[in-house]
Amino acid sequence: MAKSRNNLLGVGGQRKKLSRAEQQGAGGSRAADRRSAEEKKQDLLKKMRERNHQDGAAE
């Protein structure tokens, strides 16, 4: 533990490390990747719901 309780060094969140491309303004791929991952997740959930619905109707 630090000697002084008034020392707030290191308190708080860490900043995101930017790649060289992101520092130069070309970084938008993370947001695009996040969107495509969300779309895949929604598509998978939709397929799973359809299967569950078909299985329930078949019984």
Side-chain angles (χ1 to χ4, degrees):
M1 192 169 184
K3 291 182 181 180
S4 170
R5 290 186 175 262
N6 294 330
N7 184 3
L8 297 177
L9 182 65
V11 174
Q14 293 181 346
R15 292 184 179 170
K16 184 180 84 161
K17 302 288 188 219
L18 295 177
S19 68
R20 183 172 287 179
E22 288 173 328
Q23 289 174 357
Q24 294 174 355
S29 62
R30 283 186 190 224
D33 291 343
R34 198 173 299 123
R35 268 188 255 116
S36 65
E38 185 66 28
E39 290 170 359
K40 288 178 186 176
K41 180 180 175 183
Q42 292 299 325
D43 188 40
L44 180 63
L45 287 171
K46 179 181 169 187
K47 288 179 184 178
M48 290 173 65
R49 286 186 185 121
E50 289 173 356
R51 282 190 196 148
N52 286 339
H53 182 68
Q54 288 175 354
D55 291 344
E59 292 178 6

